[in-house]
Amino acid sequence: MSLKVLEEERGEWAVLRVSGEMDLVTSPAVRQHVHDAVADGRRSLVLDLSDVLFCDSSGVGVLIASRRLMRSCAGQLRLILPARGAEDGSHVNRVLAALGVRRLFDCYPDLSTATQQGAAAGPLSA
């Protein structure tokens, strides 16, 4: 399976909808989309990972690097990791929790919640 990244805008937020598998081969595409958004002056970014079916350490590395990049430019990064997504449960949510890095990210269950002004990240179960 391949990776697809669709871009859209939701108010001040640049939204990247990622679907497929984030692995060694495909993860650089996500990294490039994040860098392109920052280069275009976007400082509020949502990565919608609802339809990511697989994520390995390369994908996790891209998420951590994206967080670091957004913080370095005084921006904000939010992830969409629904409790039910990517068929039977958010694979990325489980991977991040298993690696102990889930707490590094502001996570939301859906796009409308993630793009609300001043929204506080709610707890998501792993």
Side-chain angles (χ1 to χ4, degrees):
M1 173 173 267
S2 62
L3 179 90
K4 186 186 297 185
V5 181
L6 301 175
E7 300 177 33
E8 69 177 76
E9 290 186 21
R10 193 58 82 93
E12 69 175 294
W13 294 92
V15 179
L16 300 178
R17 293 182 182 264
V18 183
S19 61
E21 298 182 354
M22 289 179 60
D23 58 24
L24 182 63
V25 174
T26 61
S27 293
V30 176
R31 180 187 313 265
Q32 188 59 54
H33 280 279
V34 171
H35 281 264
D36 290 347
V38 171
D40 288 342
R42 302 311 296 252
R43 296 299 179 260
S44 298
L45 180 66
V46 173
L47 290 177
D48 183 348
L49 306 174
S50 303
D51 294 322
V52 174
L53 300 172
F54 175 80
C55 181
D56 69 6
S57 60
S58 301
V60 173
V62 166
L63 295 177
I64 292 171
S66 297
R67 177 184 179 272
R68 187 177 304 125
L69 174 63
M70 295 308 293
R71 289 173 61 95
S72 74
C73 64
Q76 50 187 334
L77 173 68
R78 294 180 177 176
L79 304 182
I80 297 176
L81 297 173
R84 301 304 266 174
E87 294 180 0
D88 64 345
S90 176
H91 176 77
V92 180
N93 193 23
R94 290 191 314 265
V95 168
L96 294 178
L99 294 174
V101 297
R102 164 68 178 68
R103 62 183 168 67
L104 297 176
F105 298 96
D106 292 331
C107 300
Y108 298 83
D110 56 51
L111 184 58
S112 62
T113 306
T115 56
Q116 286 179 357
Q117 189 67 9
L124 292 175
S125 60

